[in-house]
Amino acid sequence: SNPQPKKALDALQKVASNSSLEAETKWFTALAYLLDNDPKAAKKRKNEYVNSQKDAQLREQELIIQNQLNLENERNRIASEMHDDLGSGLTVIKYLIYEDDEKIFRIVVDPKNPDIILKAGLQGYMSKDGAPKVPAGKYTVKITKGKEEYTQDLVLKYDPSSIHSEEDRKVKDEKAMELYRMMELLADEVDKIDQLQSTSESIKGGLKDKKMLKKLQLNEYVKEIEDLRKILVVTTGDNYVGAAEPQLREKIANLYGQVLSYAGTNERGQTIQFSGNKEAVSPMESVLMAAAACSSIDVETLLKKMRQDVKTISVEIDGTRADAVPAVFTKMHLHYIITGDVKEEKAEKAVQMSMEQYCSVSLMLAKSVEITHSFETDRSQHHEHSTPIFATSSFVFDDAEHMRALFANEAEGNIYSRFTNPSVREFENKMAALEGGEDCIATATGMAAIFATFASLLSSGDHLLMSKAVFGSTFKINDDYLHKWGITYDYIDPLNIEQWTALVKPTTKLLYLETPSNPGLDVIDLEATSNFCKKHGILLIVDNCFATPYLQQPLAFGADISIHSATKYIDGQGRVMGGAIISNKKIIEQIYPFMKNAGPSMSPFNAWVLSKSLETLAIRMDRHCQNALQIATWLESNSQVAYVNYPFLPSNTQYEIAAKQMKAGGGMVSFELKGGIEAGRQLIDAREMISLSANLGDTRTIITHPASSTHSKLTPEERTAAGITDGLIRL
Ligand SMILES: Cc1ncc(COP(=O)(O)O)c(C=O)c1O
């Protein structure tokens, strides 16, 4: 009814019939229907278009790949760089065609310049690096000028002045040519898109009725085309290939993944892309991904069976590989992040069941790889970024049966925060993961962790071996409590393992030590100690407070329990008290009833602070270690200092052991002043920036004098045995 759209319709149908894309054809036909005043048919076509548009991009890529596969028989125009190699006269060449299968160059000469035939050389050189995009070799040149045709041989050689070897050049040129062909195809596709775009624009210009325009969503279509164009090309202007070659290379590499790349295809024809140069997933990464995918399927299925509304499951996997080839995985840690309306205890159960019973990939790998796991559940309905604090003393039960089942240990869940609390549990899970243990119990203080462990694992008549070099209050537990309950103990010189056997009794249950020790910084060989303990059937407990799990993981060296005063580096900023016991599930189960009933539990607030602190543990420890080593080195050269204790000083007698079991020396330095106690007092009182305080592991430097503070309750003999002299300063 309107002559203008009628004209547009012709243009559209022309484009549509030329277009290789089914979706576009449909859309243009839809437009045509509408212009013919048949909105119903147009709407139907448009819906078809919208549906097919979803796949259009995919088909576009398939089309390019298909074209690429057909390349063998395809003619390829080559770049005008040939001109430089064949002599300046060739600028009059109109175009040059390289026929791959026949090795023929077809040169069409501008008839206005007859000289060209004479100047077409018999031989040419490839330029030094990239183009022209044909391999060296012998070619036939067919030169056409109007109706005349001349044939000559052309020998293309690699430029002898090139810095690349001939072999390299061959590979490079072949690859470059492949790439060039792809770019040509890409340019073709972009050209088609350009045509579609300009046609759409002209239709828009031709249509007067703006409302109709809107209805047709032509603008939206133009935008979709523009988006498609952005996927295919990164520059505007005519010379897509030249101007954007580096970006195109990258895009093409992404599209085809052809560089050092391998595809695995199963019998159903489904493919995974692998790569040896980070362009795609590496084969070893795919192993981790397979474990994550396999167990995610279990976790989702299990949680659904437990009637939990799972939204997403993400698994972060860390794989530690051996240093030497074949660099197999030695350790894997899977951390699950489960979102949705999922109860924490259900998530824990599902993850555990997957890891222990169902996940074929992990269970297969577990035969040679040490696999650990942890999890965290969803954000609350407020979608907070940082974990909230569950500041609640108790939890509500669904009904009488739920309450009964929880108390009877028939169901998992929180009852009362002295038993379990989600904030505390989060901290415990993180500590267990960091230490490489199966489980963790968080306690109110470091001393509570030590006491809870002794109280749970020792009975009247049992015997304990304890290093002479431990924290002052730890000694007091022996004297003031274990002693009155009929538990005996002997102190061992931590550096003299040969002397320990004589002290072992049939009743010896535990060996307790600190490494590095407070404050003498003795380093004890964990591997040798754990071998000793295994030989005598003794459990080894290591106070890992000074090293933190970032620098040292005692369980990896065979210890049974790692203990922390979280008050120190775990908090790291001198704010809250806390402790942690990390071990296997069996030992943790023996200690848990003491926690539940005696109650030295960690407060949810402290757990929240400590859990946040763990996020910066690595960074803080790295800096502590750098600073401490620098100070220790300086102190060692100071004439007023008698000696310096620092595990990573090369002069330290235990340096080799420290280097074997610790990542770095830690943040503590202790040293003896030549002037004894009086010099110590003077030093402490002369300080300007350093705090005089009874803590350690703070971001602010702290100095103390152990003999008159932390270890003052020991007898002078006990202090001497623990290496605490009167002039010892701890920094
Ligand atoms: C090595 C070591 N273990 C345990 C503790 C006790 O920890 P807390 O003070 O958190 O009870 C300390 C405290 O200084 C310590 O240095």
Side-chain angles (χ1 to χ4, degrees):
S1 58
N2 181 336
Q4 286 276 355
K6 203 74 193 154
K7 226 169 132 192
L9 171 65
D10 289 340
L12 278 170
Q13 276 172 338
K14 201 164 154 233
V15 174
S17 62
N18 287 334
S19 170
S20 55
L21 296 178
E22 202 191 335
E24 284 154 15
T25 313
K26 281 186 183 155
W27 174 239
F28 278 107
T29 318
L31 194 58
Y33 274 105
L34 193 57
L35 292 168
D36 265 351
N37 266 339
D38 187 353
K40 222 172 160 187
K43 199 172 168 199
K44 188 164 163 262
R45 294 288 179 173
K46 190 190 161 237
N47 285 342
E48 275 177 38
Y49 162 72
V50 170
N51 287 335
S52 61
Q53 184 65 15
K54 285 179 198 141
D55 296 328
Q57 199 173 307
L58 206 64
R59 265 186 275 117
E60 184 87 349
Q61 286 185 13
E62 273 172 14
L63 190 77
I64 297 172
I65 291 166
Q66 195 51 48
N67 284 344
Q68 210 260 328
L69 291 174
N70 292 336
L71 257 186
E72 290 313 306
N73 304 318
E74 203 161 302
R75 291 184 173 195
N76 293 282
R77 284 164 283 138
I78 65 165
S80 54
E81 279 97 326
M82 277 297 289
H83 301 175
D84 299 336
D85 296 320
L86 290 177
S88 56
L90 289 192
T91 42
V92 290
I93 291 175
K94 268 203 175 153
Y95 57 91
L96 198 61
I97 296 166
Y98 166 56
E99 295 174 6
D100 193 16
D101 42 350
E102 293 172 61
K103 290 205 162 189
I104 293 174
F105 282 104
R106 197 173 286 279
I107 299 175
V108 181
V109 177
D110 188 340
K112 282 181 214 146
N113 190 342
D115 285 354
I116 179 63
I117 301 150
L118 304 172
K119 286 188 179 169
L122 290 176
Q123 85 175 20
Y125 285 114
M126 315 292 297
S127 63
K128 282 195 185 62
D129 284 303
K133 277 75 180 179
V134 289
K138 230 171 135 182
Y139 296 88
T140 304
V141 184
K142 286 190 176 167
I143 302 164
T144 316
K145 188 188 82 178
K147 282 180 186 156
E148 299 166 57
E149 190 176 271
Y150 304 86
T151 305
Q152 285 186 358
D153 284 339
L154 170 68
V155 181
L156 277 180
K157 290 181 180 169
Y158 292 114
D159 187 335
S161 68
S162 171
I163 52 161
H164 303 289
S165 77
E166 203 153 295
E167 274 308 297
D168 282 353
R169 284 295 309 256
K170 258 188 204 147
V171 176
K172 192 169 157 52
D173 287 335
E174 270 161 27
K175 287 286 167 204
M177 186 169 176
E178 237 170 74
L179 188 65
Y180 185 79
R181 285 167 173 171
M182 290 183 208
M183 287 193 285
E184 284 288 293
L185 283 170
L186 200 56
D188 272 359
E189 296 301 321
V190 175
D191 203 42
K192 270 186 218 158
I193 288 172
D194 281 352
Q195 280 178 34
L196 290 173
Q197 250 179 326
S198 66
T199 312
S200 309
E201 289 297 338
S202 71
I203 293 166
K204 242 165 60 176
L207 292 173
K208 279 182 190 155
D209 186 341
K210 294 282 188 286
K211 267 185 194 161
M212 184 176 175
L213 242 187
K214 204 175 169 203
K215 205 165 155 192
L216 288 172
Q217 295 182 315
L218 199 53
N219 283 331
E220 200 182 296
Y221 174 63
V222 171
K223 197 188 157 292
E224 277 167 15
I225 291 194
E226 183 55 35
D227 288 346
L228 186 58
R229 193 180 194 285
K230 275 186 204 145
I231 291 168
L232 290 173
V233 76
V234 287
T235 182
T236 50
D238 289 339
N239 189 1
Y240 309 112
V241 177
E245 186 165 328
Q247 293 96 321
L248 281 171
R249 269 178 203 271
E250 200 181 312
K251 275 190 180 264
I252 288 170
N254 285 341
L255 273 176
Y256 297 94
Q258 279 186 346
V259 193
L260 255 188
S261 138
Y262 306 87
T265 304
N266 64 9
E267 60 216 356
R268 291 185 299 281
Q270 296 147 333
T271 299
I272 301 181
Q273 197 73 41
F274 299 95
S275 152
N277 65 358
K278 303 199 166 69
E279 294 282 349
V281 173
S282 83
M284 283 297 268
E285 285 166 350
S286 77
V287 172
L288 300 182
M289 289 180 186
C294 182
S295 98
S296 297
I297 294 169
D298 301 336
V299 171
E300 181 171 1
T301 315
L302 288 163
L303 284 173
K304 282 189 174 148
K305 272 193 194 144
M306 296 173 192
R307 303 228 187 86
Q308 301 298 295
D309 187 9
V310 192
K311 220 161 45 190
T312 63
I313 299 174
S314 336
V315 188
E316 292 168 359
I317 304 200
D318 260 338
T320 310
R321 293 178 68 172
D323 292 335
V325 176
V328 294
F329 284 120
T330 53
K331 276 187 195 171
M332 274 167 60
H333 183 80
L334 290 88
H335 182 70
Y336 296 77
I337 302 160
I338 301 168
T339 70
D341 192 4
V342 177
K343 288 208 170 105
E344 199 182 61
E345 63 271 20
K346 305 275 186 201
E348 185 172 12
K349 182 103 195 144
V351 169
Q352 192 181 340
M353 282 171 79
S354 164
M355 288 282 95
E356 289 172 8
Q357 294 171 39
Y358 295 108
C359 176
S360 332
V361 180
S362 312
L363 288 166
M364 178 184 70
L365 291 171
K367 299 203 189 304
S368 60
V369 184
E370 185 192 331
I371 302 181
T372 50
H373 64 266
S374 56
F375 77 98
E376 64 187 72
T377 43
D378 203 6
R379 299 178 161 89
S380 78
Q381 71 272 30
H382 302 296
H383 297 282
E384 66 284 339
H385 186 201
S386 190
T387 327
I389 311 174
F390 289 90
T392 177
S393 323
S394 67
F395 300 83
V396 291
F397 311 114
D398 295 344
D399 49 34
E401 173 50 25
H402 183 218
M403 176 171 71
R404 186 207 62 78
L406 282 172
F407 272 93
N409 272 342
E410 289 169 17
E412 285 183 47
N414 296 304
I415 298 176
Y416 188 65
S417 283
R418 173 161 28 89
F419 309 173
T420 54
N421 172 283
S423 298
V424 178
R425 203 67 200 123
E426 188 205 332
F427 171 67
E428 289 171 336
N429 284 332
K430 283 185 176 172
M431 285 300 288
L434 284 170
E435 285 276 349
E438 287 176 0
D439 208 348
C440 166
I441 289 175
T443 55
T445 63
M447 286 320 303
I450 297 166
F451 187 78
T453 306
F454 288 166
S456 304
L457 302 182
L458 293 170
S459 305
S460 181
D462 284 344
H463 176 245
L464 163 74
L465 285 178
M466 187 178 277
S467 164
K468 275 179 195 163
V470 293
F471 176 60
S473 298
T474 310
F475 286 115
K476 297 310 282 176
I477 292 183
N478 299 344
D479 297 342
D480 296 353
Y481 303 98
L482 301 188
H483 173 71
K484 68 177 180 187
W485 295 327
I487 296 162
T488 55
Y489 43 88
D490 278 299
Y491 293 110
I492 50 173
D493 177 349
L495 306 181
N496 259 324
I497 195 163
E498 310 82 54
Q499 297 173 1
W500 300 358
T501 313
L503 296 168
V504 175
K505 298 181 181 171
T507 50
T508 309
K509 273 269 182 68
L510 308 176
L511 192 153
Y512 182 94
L513 57 85
E514 282 172 20
T515 179
S517 66
N518 181 7
L521 295 157
D522 284 326
V523 175
I524 303 165
D525 188 333
L526 286 174
E527 200 178 3
T529 307
S530 105
N531 288 341
F532 173 88
C533 289
K534 289 209 164 61
K535 191 172 153 201
H536 295 282
I538 301 170
L539 289 180
L540 173 59
I541 306 173
V542 176
D543 185 330
N544 199 26
C545 170
F546 269 35
T548 79
Y550 178 64
L551 301 180
Q552 174 176 278
Q553 294 172 310
L555 303 188
F557 290 94
D560 297 287
I561 301 172
S562 180
I563 283 204
H564 280 278
S565 163
T567 318
K568 310 298 188 255
Y569 289 112
I570 304 295
D571 170 40
Q573 288 141 90
R575 299 165 298 185
V576 298
M577 307 291 295
I581 308 161
I582 302 101
S583 184
N584 59 39
K585 280 206 154 54
K586 201 171 145 221
I587 291 177
I588 292 295
E589 271 165 21
Q590 286 179 64
I591 302 173
Y592 179 63
F594 178 87
M595 294 301 304
K596 209 170 149 177
N597 299 319
S601 323
M602 177 176 277
S603 88
F605 175 78
N606 287 12
W608 176 81
V609 171
L610 293 166
S611 175
K612 296 304 291 175
S613 291
L614 286 177
E615 294 175 6
T616 55
L617 178 69
I619 306 168
R620 288 186 280 107
M621 291 316 294
D622 280 340
R623 181 59 68 89
H624 278 306
C625 294
Q626 280 168 24
N627 289 348
L629 179 62
Q630 216 173 327
I631 287 174
T633 309
W634 179 81
L635 283 169
E636 208 173 31
S637 68
N638 190 295
S639 61
Q640 296 180 61
V641 173
Y643 60 85
V644 182
N645 301 318
Y646 185 67
F648 265 49
L649 272 184
S651 59
N652 190 312
T653 50
Q654 287 134 296
Y655 172 74
E656 267 174 34
I657 300 169
K660 182 177 80 170
Q661 63 197 31
M662 295 175 77
K663 188 173 174 167
M668 302 300 299
V669 181
S670 62
F671 56 99
E672 173 80 17
L673 289 170
K674 282 182 184 157
I677 196 157
E678 210 26 61
R681 276 179 188 284
Q682 276 176 26
L683 175 86
I684 283 173
D685 288 338
R687 91 212 123 72
E688 289 175 1
M689 271 169 50
I690 301 176
S691 317
L692 181 59
S693 178
N695 198 15
L696 62 95
D698 198 310
T699 42
R700 297 154 295 180
T701 305
I702 292 172
I703 199 163
T704 49
H705 180 230
S708 64
S709 59
T710 51
H711 291 70
S712 60
K713 299 282 187 303
L714 304 190
T715 62
E717 298 75 42
E718 283 171 334
R719 274 204 295 275
T720 312
I724 299 158
T725 50
D726 283 349
L728 191 77
I729 300 286
R730 188 186 77 186
L731 193 65

